[in-house]
Amino acid sequence: MNNNGPVVIPESYIDRLIQEELEAGTYSRDICTRFPPEPNGYLHIGSAYAIHTNYTTAKKYGGTFNLRFDDTNPLKEDLEYVNAIREDMLWMGYPPDHTFYGSDYSEKIYNSAVMLIRKGKAYVCDLSPEEVTAYRGTLTEPGKNSPYRERSVEENLTLFTEMRNGVYPTGARVLRAKIDMSSPNINLRDPIIYRIIHAEHYRTGNDWCIYPMYDFAHPIQDAIEGITHSLCSIEFKDHRPLYEWVLNELDTPEPPKQREFGRVNITGVVTSKRYIRQLVTGQYVDGWDDPRLPTLRGLRRRGFTPESIRNFVKEIGFVRHSTIVDIAMLEHALRQDLKAKAPSVMAVLKPLKVVITNYPEDQSEWLKIENNSEDKTLGEREVPFSRTLYIEQEDFMEEPPKGYHRLTIGNEVRLKGAYFLKCNEVIKNEATGEILELRCTYDPRTKSGSGFNERKVKATIHWVSAEHAIKADVHLYERLLKDNDGPKEDDEGWDAYLNPDSLTILKDCLLEPSMESALPEDKFQFIRHGFFCVDKKYSTADKLVLNRIVPLKDTWKKNS
């Protein structure tokens, strides 16, 4: 809590500031942070970092964390996004203490604008959007005053009331703060704080036809909720003086403090909401939940766990400046989470038929195989073994190179959890030369767990009984972008930037029968292939579809 809460050793820039404020008694209320998404799209991995920063900061000091929807633009917002954001935050493990809506504060924000007008700090401006831009100036040249800047308080009050009452069409007039057109900070050059929009709002209907701009509404909303620290990404740093100006002019007691953290970008990943929208609307991907996207919906559908994402953002820590993180670090966090809890199963993605000629034709047996080598408490399962099996095509070579230890003619390998297998004959398509079948023999003395040690083999391969196999489609995902960046300009297309091999679909793969009970979002380790998740969008009772979450190979090493 504020004065009597836990003693926290400062770990970052934000921690140091909060600790100093607690010691100075800056606030008579508890620490309170918020996450303020616009309900005009889905959360992504960058959102997770922002949520984590605000949530953990509040909890570290025994404070409160709010979810507040910044729903002050009726043209873009939708209840669909509201529900999705709430669901994603709960799935991630960041439940808000309170949920608020900016639109609920419409009357208070309006009254704040009226207060500024009465103080001579705001005026109604009739300049067109193009003229407002021209009058604003540039980074090197000051702006110039609007010809409407010196309207009287009475006239501004009348015009603003008429704006609220719907007298004027969309875009006809705006309300601007009266600050300083020569300020080196363009955000302080009489920014627009209200505009006219005749459109139905998803919550307030047609009650309002004027809506506040984010930079004006945000500090007021923070003050209403008792926010102490408005933690936001670094691009809002230049907006901080306006945030503080609004609170100061409204005589806000113990005003919230805006503090910024660095934006986290990930190699090979599109984290711009605008760019993600382009990919979705352009049908380059399979919707907002496409497993190649960094949206939380896409990551969840692909098979990422909330624990892995939380560990990833925790590992990054607090960054004061924007940074680029290798995506291998996110994949490493996932492997670390899954390797100890995802059951292992055998799946043959590119099948090659094997007939064991010395195994009885009408016989099968059930062999016990461990479910997870990392966690013995997950127990064992029974897997059927029979005369006809399937192995991976890559696990056999007629003319192997040096160092190849898997199945070849005359060579033995161990079948996972079963027996030694020796290839004796290759059956081919006479016309094409394609290998159709391997004729093999097994040694019944070599059953796993029997203690046989008369000879050794150098490789163990996985397999699936043909009679018992379950067919499934498997989606193999790679990076969506060829390189680490997407288009730099609005008029550039995506075709030149997208990896054409970002999705490979393998039809009729063969899985061991234990997968028959698999449910959407269940996760497994396919032996030697990687981690996979049952796709909740396309899997049906008749046909499983699995997404490869990540291969087994880990390319990221934590810095010591």
Side-chain angles (χ1 to χ4, degrees), residues 217-506:
H218 190 214
I220 298 171
Q221 293 165 346
D222 283 350
I224 291 171
E225 294 175 13
I227 301 300
T228 57
H229 296 83
S230 182
L231 307 180
C232 54
S233 52
I234 195 68
E235 62 261 34
F236 288 99
K237 185 173 183 178
D238 289 341
H239 296 248
R240 191 203 294 182
L242 177 55
Y243 182 97
E244 294 173 344
W245 181 91
V246 170
L247 294 173
N248 181 63
E249 291 298 334
L250 295 177
D251 302 320
T252 307
E254 296 185 7
K257 297 182 184 297
Q258 176 178 307
R259 294 294 181 260
E260 302 83 22
F261 51 83
R263 183 184 179 92
V264 174
N265 297 301
I266 303 174
T267 58
V269 171
V270 180
T271 53
S272 162
K273 186 189 290 187
R274 177 170 61 92
Y275 278 171
I276 294 174
R277 187 181 299 278
Q278 288 177 11
L279 289 169
V280 174
T281 57
Q283 298 184 339
Y284 294 100
V285 293
D286 181 28
W288 288 92
D289 64 347
D290 188 292
R292 291 166 292 182
L293 291 179
T295 57
L296 295 186
R297 298 243 146 173
L299 293 172
R300 180 177 181 177
R301 183 179 154 202
R302 182 157 174 173
F304 278 78
T305 63
E307 294 86 356
S308 67
I309 299 174
R310 291 201 303 268
N311 290 337
F312 167 68
V313 294
K314 183 178 179 180
E315 185 69 36
I316 294 173
F318 181 87
V319 292
R320 192 164 183 177
H321 304 287
S322 293
T323 187
I324 298 177
V325 177
D326 193 331
I327 192 173
M329 181 177 169
L330 174 59
E331 295 172 344
H332 171 79
L334 177 70
R335 291 187 186 93
Q336 291 299 108
D337 183 50
L338 287 182
K339 70 178 184 179
K341 63 186 182 185
S344 297
V345 298
M346 294 193 289
V348 176
L349 305 189
K350 296 180 179 180
L352 174 60
K353 186 177 180 180
V354 172
V355 177
I356 305 176
T357 56
N358 64 332
Y359 195 90
E361 290 190 19
D362 299 324
Q363 179 178 314
S364 63
E365 59 183 300
W366 292 80
L367 307 174
K368 289 186 176 181
I369 299 180
E370 62 186 7
N371 286 326
N372 187 299
S373 60
E374 298 277 338
D375 186 356
K376 303 299 183 183
T377 64
L378 292 180
E380 297 177 324
R381 69 192 184 284
E382 290 192 331
V383 179
F385 183 84
S386 61
R387 176 184 173 91
T388 303
L389 311 175
Y390 283 97
I391 65 171
E392 294 288 351
Q393 292 176 11
E394 65 179 22
D395 283 343
F396 173 80
M397 292 188 71
E398 248 187 313
E399 299 178 3
K402 185 177 180 180
Y404 184 87
H405 298 301
R406 281 170 272 178
L407 195 59
T408 62
I409 297 177
N411 185 44
E412 276 188 320
V413 297
R414 174 173 287 285
L415 295 174
K416 171 72 175 176
Y419 302 94
F420 284 10
L421 184 77
K422 181 179 181 180
C423 180
N424 305 303
E425 183 182 1
V426 179
I427 308 299
K428 297 182 180 181
N429 182 313
E430 294 183 1
T432 65
E434 176 189 4
I435 297 177
L436 301 177
E437 179 182 311
L438 303 180
R439 297 289 174 87
C440 302
T441 52
Y442 86 116
D443 185 343
R445 299 175 302 159
T446 61
K447 185 175 182 178
S448 292
S450 66
F452 178 84
N453 60 6
E454 292 180 15
R455 62 185 186 276
K456 303 290 185 181
V457 292
K458 294 184 177 181
T460 298
I461 64 175
H462 61 280
W463 51 275
V464 173
S465 167
E467 179 185 350
H468 304 86
I470 295 173
K471 287 187 177 181
D473 291 347
V474 172
H475 293 180
L476 303 180
Y477 291 102
E478 300 291 347
R479 308 288 167 83
L480 182 61
L481 301 182
K482 291 179 181 176
D483 300 309
N484 290 335
D485 299 313
K488 299 298 188 299
E489 304 294 337
D490 289 343
D491 59 353
E492 292 184 8
W494 281 97
D495 292 340
Y497 296 90
L498 297 180
N499 173 14
D501 300 317
S502 63
L503 169 61
T504 299
I505 298 178
L506 302 179

Side-chain angles (χ1 to χ4, degrees), residues 31-290:
I31 296 298
C32 186
T33 64
R34 84 294 165 269
F35 176 62
E38 297 177 80
N40 61 3
Y42 294 90
L43 300 182
H44 54 73
I45 190 69
S47 310
Y49 182 76
I51 295 168
H52 174 85
T53 300
N54 279 278
Y55 179 88
T56 56
T57 297
K59 298 309 173 183
K60 184 184 297 184
Y61 295 94
T64 301
F65 169 69
N66 293 348
L67 166 62
R68 178 174 73 256
F69 290 100
D70 173 36
D71 56 352
T72 56
N73 186 347
L75 299 178
K76 297 181 179 180
E77 295 149 3
D78 196 287
L79 186 61
E80 172 191 351
Y81 299 126
V82 170
N83 293 334
I85 289 169
R86 291 171 64 104
E87 181 182 329
D88 286 349
M89 287 181 63
L90 291 176
W91 174 75
M92 279 290 300
Y94 299 117
D97 295 301
H98 305 287
T99 298
F100 298 112
Y101 297 83
S103 56
D104 287 346
Y105 308 140
S106 297
E107 194 70 39
K108 292 182 178 180
I109 298 172
Y110 174 82
N111 290 335
S112 296
V114 170
M115 179 178 175
L116 291 183
I117 294 174
R118 292 188 185 280
K119 292 179 66 175
K121 296 294 185 177
Y123 64 96
V124 174
C125 182
D126 298 356
L127 292 177
S128 68
E130 294 75 21
E131 290 171 326
V132 169
T133 300
Y135 274 58
R136 185 176 291 127
T138 66
L139 292 174
T140 57
E141 298 177 353
K144 59 181 181 178
N145 290 345
S146 164
Y148 307 100
R149 197 174 196 265
E150 301 308 321
R151 277 174 163 157
S152 68
V153 169
E154 291 73 20
E155 182 181 7
N156 282 318
L157 287 172
T158 299
L159 290 172
F160 192 50
T161 300
E162 291 175 346
M163 287 170 59
R164 174 177 181 171
N165 292 337
V167 173
Y168 308 112
T170 295
R173 286 186 158 112
V174 295
L175 183 69
R176 298 176 67 178
K178 185 186 288 187
I179 307 180
D180 182 4
M181 290 302 294
S182 63
S183 172
N185 187 332
I186 291 181
N187 295 299
L188 297 180
R189 295 181 188 176
D190 291 9
I192 295 171
I193 59 176
Y194 258 95
R195 74 282 206 205
I196 301 171
I197 301 176
H198 287 278
E200 185 172 347
H201 190 276
Y202 79 101
R203 294 189 79 242
T204 60
N206 294 302
D207 292 348
W208 293 85
C209 62
I210 58 171
Y211 291 89
M213 300 297 287
Y214 177 84
D215 280 347
F216 181 62
H218 190 214
I220 298 171
Q221 293 165 346
D222 283 350
I224 291 171
E225 294 175 13
I227 301 300
T228 57
H229 296 83
S230 182
L231 307 180
C232 54
S233 52
I234 195 68
E235 62 261 34
F236 288 99
K237 185 173 183 178
D238 289 341
H239 296 248
R240 191 203 294 182
L242 177 55
Y243 182 97
E244 294 173 344
W245 181 91
V246 170
L247 294 173
N248 181 63
E249 291 298 334
L250 295 177
D251 302 320
T252 307
E254 296 185 7
K257 297 182 184 297
Q258 176 178 307
R259 294 294 181 260
E260 302 83 22
F261 51 83
R263 183 184 179 92
V264 174
N265 297 301
I266 303 174
T267 58
V269 171
V270 180
T271 53
S272 162
K273 186 189 290 187
R274 177 170 61 92
Y275 278 171
I276 294 174
R277 187 181 299 278
Q278 288 177 11
L279 289 169
V280 174
T281 57
Q283 298 184 339
Y284 294 100
V285 293
D286 181 28
W288 288 92
D289 64 347
D290 188 292

Side-chain angles (χ1 to χ4, degrees), residues 517-529:
S517 60
L519 299 174
E521 296 193 347
D522 281 353
K523 298 163 187 65
F524 304 89
Q525 181 183 149
F526 284 2
I527 294 172
R528 293 175 49 220
H529 286 303

